[in-house]
Amino acid sequence: QSALTQPASVSGSPGQSITISCTGTSSDVGSYNLVTWYQQHPGKAPKVIIYEVTKRPSGVSNRFSGSKSGNTASLTISGLQAEDEADYYCCSYAGSYTSVLFGGGTKLTVL
Amino acid sequence: QLQLQESGSGLVKPSQTLSLTCAVSGGSISGGGYSWNWIRQPPGKGLQWIGYIFHSGNTHYNPSLKSRVTISVDRSKNQFSLKLSSVTAADTAVYYCAREIGGSKFDYWGQGTLVTVSS
């Protein structure tokens, strides 16, 4: 049960859009629409920004959106803002034995 | 507003047992179909799910840690606990407790507590 694969880093300028990918297998991301994205600022606990692939909790900006194709889930942030600079983690349900898998995390830098 | 707070030893010697407790306030640990989880994050690294417990006492652990992990619940104190045995330096991490509402969605987290394994 390896971790889900994310790029180590992405960057973008204010106002631009970026996409972070999260690649799993047919046993996790590909089998369940149960992918969650977390945002983590330094020294803080992670916060849910997308759940069940595409849903946004109340209070989360509509600049955040999620999608999935096959074994790969994606997080898109549009209209980048300085406050979006953080680490982002994907997480997927992976069945009753493994239960939950996290991605390795992606550091977003807003230039 | 639900709050979770980790407590326990911040320094553990190699080969000994790490023990942490998560106190839950603002809600009952016995209410609803939630699981109560432990997740850790080594310094500068990513998140790793350790395991969960339901208020019923049913548990499930990460297969890679299963032989060393025990999670228990104390409903009278509204808290749950983690024990990780035979620790090494690789177990040095910030340990978080969190509630899972289902499907990999951890909606409430503690602030995290750093545990260092060192002699």
Side-chain angles (χ1 to χ4, degrees), chain A residues 11-44:
Chain A
S11 62
S13 299
Q16 289 186 331
S17 295
I18 62 96
T19 296
I20 300 171
S21 62
C22 170
T23 301
T25 69
S26 57
S27 296
D28 38 70
V29 175
S31 284
Y32 309 97
N33 288 325
L34 294 173
V35 176
T36 305
W37 288 92
Y38 295 89
Q39 177 191 62
Q40 186 181 35
H41 286 107
K44 300 294 186 180

Side-chain angles (χ1 to χ4, degrees), chain A residues 50-102:
Chain A
I50 295 289
Y51 66 101
E52 294 176 8
V53 179
T54 62
K55 298 178 181 178
R56 241 184 351 265
S58 61
V60 172
S61 171
N62 60 9
R63 297 184 299 104
F64 294 91
S65 62
S67 63
K68 191 183 87 167
S69 178
N71 297 336
T72 298
S74 298
L75 171 71
T76 297
I77 309 174
S78 59
L80 272 178
Q81 300 180 359
E83 67 208 50
D84 299 332
E85 188 161 291
D87 293 325
Y88 292 85
Y89 292 91
C90 63
C91 183
S92 175
Y93 178 69
S96 59
Y97 178 70
T98 303
S99 191
V100 166
L101 283 175
F102 282 98

Side-chain angles (χ1 to χ4, degrees), chain B residues 9-10 13 16 20 31 39-40 44 51 60 69 75 78 81 83-85 89 93-95 98 104 107-108 114 117:
Chain B
S9 176
K13 289 182 167 54
Q16 294 191 342
L20 296 173
I39 295 163
R40 70 180 183 179
H60 188 63
V69 173
R75 286 175 287 278
N78 216 37
S81 299
K83 290 189 185 300
L84 181 66
S85 64
V94 174
Y95 285 75
S104 81
D107 58 348
Y108 286 95
L114 175 62
V117 178

Side-chain angles (χ1 to χ4, degrees), chain B residues 40-95:
Chain B
R40 70 180 183 179
Q41 185 171 33
K45 297 187 178 181
L47 300 162
Q48 181 183 35
W49 174 74
I50 298 170
Y52 67 64
I53 191 165
F54 283 98
H55 70 87
S56 62
N58 289 344
T59 56
H60 188 63
Y61 304 134
N62 186 320
S64 68
L65 298 170
K66 185 176 182 178
S67 63
R68 299 194 291 130
V69 173
T70 302
I71 298 176
S72 58
V73 65
D74 186 334
R75 286 175 287 278
S76 66
K77 294 183 178 179
N78 216 37
Q79 64 186 35
F80 62 107
S81 299
L82 168 71
K83 290 189 185 300
L84 181 66
S85 64
S86 305
V87 298
T88 69
D91 295 310
T92 293
V94 174
Y95 285 75

